């Protein structure tokens, strides 16, 4: 339990035992849409993606939020306000908005220093509810600190709590050399969440197994994967994409997309590129000058992720890879499909990757993926069919795998088709939102009716007031 560390009001409220009219809202006399809260304390759904700490979690919350709104919910997404210049409320679509709460200084705060402001976050969220005259009957929290917020809300009001981890301390701390001071608190909260949330949404079977083996055997886990926007990421002409980006037809393009963070393993990729270039010097298959490594993501070298970028730049210099490497910077989703399509292979060399959106985005565009055999990547990438899985950190195996794809055109073409088919069939945001929506409706129905409800009911939502389709 996390007692003693926080203001005495936390966790001391009497639990609400009777359901409190979860479908009534003072804002409107006749309820139209059911309002739900998505909570993502550091992953601002309205943030620019690819910069600083903005990555997969931001994309997940925003895409899921918008897709749930299309399915008929009123979606309020809560995050921490990290700049005075940011708007307090951002309306994304008529029924989906981001609300930025004041919790701590309005500036960027590294994740490991953020937990102390979570009690303020809970208070601000409750004040927002009072002001709006609403009481969310359901909250879907993202990452352990939002999960803690969810646990506190659950103690204070009648709320169904669904949690997605995005990253699991018990796994992450196995792959990092420096364990932060907050580690034990995080592990405790992650265990409480598994045991006390009404449902845990694991994004891959690997994550479910990790939770059961490393965190606790108690808990209700549903597997609902992450998704991708298949209207943005889909196969287009490689020749056109290269033309638009000014990339020649002879170039062999190896692509990295993501944040500059040590756990992303960019060093492994740069060293693998160096090793591959050396091998190419002795083979006639590819001119080493045509080997191109494009590194997409990150912002200004002076920003929060700048230290890792500078470290990577030094390795590029050490290996004399300047002519082969380009730091593209941050690219929005509107243009990212061009990069994926133009590439011959997309590489994800992470030490640990709970899901890895980049893998399904690349595959959706028909680009084979070479990825570390870790976490969600073992679920999304099918080795030899949609790409290759390689042990993390293994520079030579990465170099070999990238080389295999670059030098076997026929096999690569086959993989392009298989990769895009896999994503389009299994990982669309709409499909993900439909599964989440069913889960929410089931939990809300259960909260009204009691635990006797059987999940196999084809449509538990039929027990609830109908949601109005948009
Ligand atoms: N991304 C982006 N532009 C960039 C770099 C990254 O839009 O310049 C997006 C990328 O498309 C993906 C997300 O950031 O949607 C990264 O998610 P992933 O799950 O791969 O990694 P995370 O950041 O969560 O560790």
């Amino acid at each position: 339990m996390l007692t003693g560390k926080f203001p005495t009001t936390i966790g001391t409220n009497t639990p609400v035992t009777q359901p409190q009219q979860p479908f009534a809202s003072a804002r409107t006399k006749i309820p139209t849409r059911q309002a739900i809260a998505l909570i993502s304390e550091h992953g601002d759904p309205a943030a620019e993606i690819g910069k600083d700490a903005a990555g997969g979690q931001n994309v997940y919350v925003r895409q899921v939020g918008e897709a749930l709104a299309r399915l008929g919910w009123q979606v309020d997404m809560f995050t921490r306000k990290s700049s005075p210049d940011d708007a307090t409320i951002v309306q994304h679509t008529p029924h989906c908005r981001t609300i930025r709460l004041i919790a701590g200084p309005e500036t960027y705060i590294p994740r490991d220093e953020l937990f102390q402001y979570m009690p303020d976050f809970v208070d601000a969220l409750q004040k927002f509810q009072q002001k709006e005259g609403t009481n969310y009957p359901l909250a879907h929290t993202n990452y352990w600190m939002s999960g803690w917020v969810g646990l506190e809300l659950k103690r204070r009001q009648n709320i169904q709590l669904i949690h997605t981890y995005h990253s699991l301390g018990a796994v992450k701390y196995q792959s990092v050399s420096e364990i932060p001071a907050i580690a034990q608190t995080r592990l405790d909260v992650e265990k409480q969440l598994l045991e006390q949330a009404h449902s845990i949404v694991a994004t891959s079977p690997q994550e479910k197994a990790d939770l059961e083996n490393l965190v606790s055997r108690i808990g209700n886990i549903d597997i609902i994967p992450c998704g991708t926007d298949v209207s943005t990421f889909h196969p287009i002409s490689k020749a056109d994409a290269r033309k638009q980006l000014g990339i020649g037809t002879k170039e062999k393009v190896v692509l990295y997309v993501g944040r500059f963070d040590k756990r992303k393993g960019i060093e492994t990729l740069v060293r693998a590129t160096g090793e591959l270039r050396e091998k190419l010097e002795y083979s006639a298959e590819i001119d080493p000058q045509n080997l191109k490594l494009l590194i997409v993501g990150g912002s200004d070298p002076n920003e929060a992720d700048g230290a890792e970028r500078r470290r990577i730049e030094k390795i590029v210099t050490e290996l004399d890879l300047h002519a082969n490497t380009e730091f593209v910077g941050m690219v929005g989703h509107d243009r990212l499909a061009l990069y994926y399509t133009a590439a011959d292979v997309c590489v994800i060399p992470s030490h640990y990757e709970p899901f890895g959106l980049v893998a399904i985005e690349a595959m959706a565009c028909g680009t084979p993926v070479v990825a570390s055999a870790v976490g969600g990547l073992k679920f999304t990438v099918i080795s030899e069919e949609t790409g290759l899985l390689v042990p993390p950190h293994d520079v030579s195996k990465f170099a070999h795998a990238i080389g295999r794809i670059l030098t076997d055109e026929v096999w690569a073409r086959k993989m392009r088709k298989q990769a895009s088919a896999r994503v389009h069939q299994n990982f669309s945001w709409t499909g993900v939102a439909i599964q989440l929506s069913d889960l929410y409706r089931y939990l809300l129905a259960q909260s009204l009716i009691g635990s006797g409800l059987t999940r196999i009911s084809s449509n538990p939502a039929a027990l609830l007031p109908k949601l109005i389709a948009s």
Side-chain angles (χ1 to χ4, degrees):
M1 288 294 289
L2 292 165
T3 47
K5 274 187 149 229
F6 299 99
T8 47
T9 51
I10 299 291
T12 57
N13 290 278
T14 316
V16 180
T17 47
Q18 294 300 315
Q20 305 173 320
Q21 298 273 323
F23 301 103
S25 158
R27 258 184 309 180
T28 47
K29 284 208 177 94
I30 303 161
T32 48
R33 287 172 171 248
Q34 180 57 60
I36 53 171
L38 302 191
I39 305 177
S40 173
E41 89 296 329
H42 74 274
D44 181 339
E48 262 186 296
I49 306 301
K51 201 177 157 186
D52 298 343
Q57 184 176 322
N58 309 59
V59 173
Y60 177 90
V61 178
R62 170 79 173 267
Q63 293 287 344
V64 157
E66 289 190 8
L68 286 167
R70 286 196 294 276
L71 293 176
W73 303 85
Q74 166 63 43
V75 183
D76 288 347
M77 308 187 286
F78 291 93
T79 193
R80 200 186 73 84
K81 196 158 187 257
S82 62
S83 163
D85 301 333
D86 287 345
T88 302
I89 296 186
V90 181
Q91 195 75 44
H92 301 290
T93 62
H95 298 285
C96 178
R97 58 185 176 164
T98 292
I99 297 138
R100 296 186 171 118
L101 302 175
I102 307 273
E106 289 180 52
T107 179
Y108 171 77
I109 298 173
R111 274 183 233 183
D112 288 344
E113 294 161 28
L114 212 51
F115 189 49
Q116 57 186 311
Y117 303 111
M118 289 303 106
D120 294 346
F121 193 101
V122 178
D123 291 342
L125 206 157
Q126 287 217 301
K127 271 194 198 122
F128 181 86
Q129 288 191 100
Q130 278 160 14
K131 203 176 107 223
E132 293 266 308
T134 191
N135 226 352
Y136 299 105
L138 183 145
H140 184 160
T141 55
N142 297 273
Y143 198 62
W144 71 273
M145 281 182 277
S146 297
W148 183 86
V149 169
L151 287 171
E152 286 308 315
L153 287 173
K154 186 167 168 274
R155 284 184 189 119
R156 296 179 183 199
Q157 67 189 64
N158 184 33
I159 200 161
Q160 298 297 298
L161 177 60
I162 293 104
H163 182 70
T164 300
Y165 285 91
H166 293 278
S167 162
L168 205 54
V171 182
K172 183 179 175 174
Y173 297 142
Q174 290 174 354
S175 70
V176 295
S177 46
E178 288 160 36
I179 308 287
I182 197 74
Q184 194 51 52
T185 308
R186 174 178 178 171
L187 295 173
D188 290 346
V189 174
E190 289 186 339
K191 184 164 185 281
Q192 282 180 37
L193 277 163
L194 179 51
E195 295 181 347
Q196 294 174 24
H198 295 95
S199 172
I200 296 294
V201 172
T203 54
S204 70
Q206 284 73 14
E207 189 184 353
K208 182 173 193 272
D210 285 341
L211 283 165
E212 288 168 347
N213 296 331
L214 303 172
V215 181
S216 174
R217 292 266 160 199
I218 304 166
N220 299 315
I221 306 174
D222 286 88
I223 300 176
I224 302 178
C226 290
T228 197
D229 181 351
V230 290
S231 63
T232 301
F233 299 114
H234 56 88
I236 51 175
S237 150
K238 190 171 175 175
D240 282 355
R242 286 196 169 203
K243 210 167 157 193
Q244 286 196 51
L245 297 176
I247 299 172
T249 49
K250 286 200 180 126
E251 289 180 58
K252 294 289 180 185
V253 178
V254 179
L255 177 70
Y256 169 84
V257 175
R259 293 179 293 116
F260 278 84
D261 180 323
K262 224 169 173 185
R263 129 178 119 72
K264 289 288 183 183
I266 309 175
E267 174 173 357
T268 308
L269 171 58
V270 172
R271 294 197 184 280
T273 307
E275 196 170 306
L276 182 61
R277 192 193 55 181
E278 222 172 284
K279 274 192 196 156
L280 295 177
E281 304 276 358
Y282 303 101
S283 89
E285 287 180 292
I286 299 169
D287 180 346
Q289 286 181 6
N290 286 333
L291 183 63
K292 285 280 175 264
L293 171 61
L294 298 186
I295 300 181
V296 170
S299 45
D300 193 276
N302 300 319
E303 299 267 346
D305 52 359
E308 177 63 0
R309 172 158 174 176
R310 286 192 296 276
R311 198 179 72 84
I312 297 298
E313 279 172 347
K314 266 194 200 149
I315 300 167
V316 168
T317 308
E318 174 204 320
L319 300 175
D320 194 19
L321 272 176
H322 276 293
N324 301 86
T325 310
E326 189 185 331
F327 291 89
V328 178
M330 207 174 68
V331 176
H333 273 195
D334 50 332
R335 279 182 67 80
L336 209 48
L338 291 176
Y339 284 88
Y340 286 129
T341 308
D344 293 290
V345 58
C346 179
V347 183
I348 304 163
S350 310
H351 305 159
Y352 162 50
E353 198 61 76
F355 186 81
L357 284 178
V358 166
I360 55 171
E361 290 167 5
M363 291 195 302
C365 295
T367 305
V369 168
V370 170
S372 296
V374 294
L377 297 170
K378 288 196 283 184
F379 166 56
T380 51
V381 180
I382 305 199
S383 207
E384 305 286 337
E385 280 183 31
T386 68
L388 289 167
L389 289 169
V390 173
H393 301 277
D394 195 326
V395 171
S396 295
K397 291 221 167 97
F398 267 94
H400 180 71
I402 296 166
R404 270 185 70 194
I405 293 177
L406 294 186
T407 52
D408 191 338
E409 280 281 343
V410 178
W411 179 49
R413 213 172 302 134
K414 195 171 158 205
M415 280 202 291
R416 282 185 170 264
K417 283 204 185 111
Q418 289 166 176
S420 100
R422 172 155 177 74
V423 177
H424 286 253
Q425 279 158 21
N426 300 290
F427 303 110
S428 77
W429 282 125
T430 307
V432 170
I434 287 170
Q435 292 176 68
L436 287 173
S437 200
D438 278 353
L439 174 65
Y440 297 171
R441 289 172 188 216
Y442 167 77
L443 291 173
L444 288 173
Q446 198 181 48
S447 75
L448 291 181
I449 291 158
S451 55
L453 198 66
T454 313
R455 181 77 180 277
I456 47 169
S457 153
S458 61
N459 185 11
L463 299 165
L464 294 173
K466 254 206 154 68
L467 291 163
I468 296 166
S470 47

